Amino acid sequence: MNHFQIGIISDWLRLPFEESMKKCAELGADGVQLYAVEGEMAPENMTAADIAEKRAIISGNGLTVSALCGDLGGHGFTRREENPLKIQRSKRIVDLALALGSRVVTTHIGVIPAEKNDTYLILQEACNELAEYAHENGAFFAIETGPEPASRLKEFLDSLSSGGVAVNLDPANLVMVTDDDPVQAVYTLKDYIVHTHAKDGVLIRKTDPRVIYDFFAEGGIGDLRLEEYFKEVPLGQGRVDFEAYLKALREIGYNGFLTIEREVGQNPAADIGMAVNFLRSHPAF
């Protein structure tokens, strides 16, 4: 008996919606994660008829929605003046997730600082509002791991007033950027994990994670060469110990999605297919 469900972030297939759902089913997925921040899947562009049509296509291919990606980019929720608009947009993405049959919206909130400074308080304020809205509606904002060690993320989550903000555990981000142990992260964050990404990578050169995430936040401005710091690789070819990682997820009672994310590569469909086979054939699956 399998302990997990397999998801695919369908956008990385680079196909039109209906074709991508068909391809995800062909590759052996149980569900899909969809980007919902721009284009046809953005809440402001989705009518009730559009939602019904998308649901029919998804279910018609034997799939469910594991989560929506609601990452609004920039510096997350670290800038108070930007937060009112971002929070309102995030709430609409939660509404869309629920309408599509999912309770999870994944996002990056920005780098949680080690010190309890003004940025920390701004993040608390924003996440408390997001948590309360999600909790009231039976949903979760799932913070993706990577910008800070798992222990710091847990301390931050423990400080919030509601359980509506949770964790999307991405083991590769922890390996590639934070140099944190994803297996220990499972145990550290066990009370908060509601979704996971199946991704692998290697750390090449360690640096302050803020350098990496500021580079993404500012649209790649600057002369930073990401390939000098980390590399995403196909599942099983990096530093994520999937034997121990999957066993840890089983031990904490997680039986949700392992959603495959493949952000690079010349043939993402082939890499995603390999990842599905890697997971399904893994003894710990």
Side-chain angles (χ1 to χ4, degrees):
M1 176 180 175
N2 292 338
H3 292 266
F4 310 109
Q5 300 173 79
I6 291 181
I8 293 172
I9 300 182
S10 57
D11 295 74
W12 296 117
L13 293 170
R14 304 166 194 160
L15 295 170
F17 185 85
E18 192 163 1
E19 290 179 43
S20 70
M21 295 304 103
K22 182 179 179 181
K23 188 64 176 179
C24 286
E26 289 176 355
L27 291 171
D30 302 300
V32 291
Q33 181 175 4
L34 308 167
Y35 274 82
V37 295
E38 60 185 9
E40 66 173 337
M41 288 301 301
E44 61 270 19
N45 297 329
M46 293 281 282
T47 65
D50 293 330
I51 292 170
E53 179 185 29
K54 293 290 192 293
R55 287 196 68 154
I57 293 170
I58 293 165
S59 62
N61 283 284
L63 303 168
T64 60
V65 179
S66 71
L68 294 188
C69 177
D71 189 344
L72 298 175
H75 293 270
F77 296 93
T78 61
R79 298 186 173 180
R80 184 176 276 118
E81 67 276 9
E82 298 176 0
N83 284 350
L85 179 59
K86 283 190 169 184
I87 289 170
Q88 288 307 309
R89 287 201 69 200
S90 295
K91 290 177 179 179
R92 299 294 76 79
I93 295 172
V94 166
D95 296 340
L96 178 60
L98 293 168
L100 289 168
S102 176
R103 299 195 305 140
V104 179
V105 173
T106 70
T107 189
H108 285 280
I109 65 168
V111 181
I112 301 170
E115 59 279 3
K116 306 297 191 296
N117 57 16
D118 192 49
T119 298
Y120 195 95
L121 297 176
I122 291 169
L123 285 172
Q124 277 185 321
E125 291 171 5
C127 286
N128 273 326
E129 185 171 348
L130 292 170
E132 289 169 9
Y133 186 82
H135 181 72
E136 289 171 0
N137 290 279
F140 297 98
F141 281 99
I143 299 173
E144 187 164 327
T145 55
E148 60 282 312
S151 58
R152 190 188 306 165
L153 176 56
K154 180 185 183 300
E155 182 181 9
F156 177 78
L157 291 167
D158 287 344
S159 76
L160 301 181
S161 59
S162 168
V165 170
V167 168
N168 173 47
L169 205 157
D170 187 312
N173 287 353
L174 291 169
V175 162
M176 294 189 299
V177 181
T178 319
D179 196 23
D180 203 11
D181 179 4
V183 177
Q184 181 56 50
V186 171
Y187 298 112
T188 300
L189 297 167
K190 62 183 177 63
D191 295 330
Y192 293 104
I193 300 169
V194 295
H195 191 263
T196 74
H197 280 165
K199 191 168 73 177
D200 207 350
V202 293
L203 175 69
I204 297 170
R205 176 182 170 193
K206 189 172 181 179
T207 189
D208 186 337
R210 287 178 295 185
V211 172
I212 302 298
Y213 284 95
D214 282 350
F215 180 80
F216 287 125
E218 293 158 14
I221 296 172
D223 59 0
L224 183 72
R225 295 180 178 84
L226 294 180
E227 65 272 14
E228 296 179 359
Y229 293 87
F230 62 84
K231 182 180 181 181
E232 183 191 324
V233 298
L235 249 57
Q237 298 182 25
R239 279 190 49 212
V240 177
D241 182 347
F242 277 94
E243 176 77 21
Y245 177 68
L246 294 176
K247 284 183 177 179
L249 288 172
R250 286 173 60 181
E251 285 181 11
I252 68 165
Y254 179 79
N255 58 3
F257 275 93
L258 305 170
T259 296
I260 297 163
E261 182 175 27
R262 183 62 172 147
E263 299 185 59
V264 298
Q266 295 301 311
N267 192 340
D271 288 346
I272 290 169
M274 288 171 54
V276 172
N277 292 333
F278 173 84
L279 290 171
R280 290 210 183 277
S281 63
H282 201 289
F285 184 81

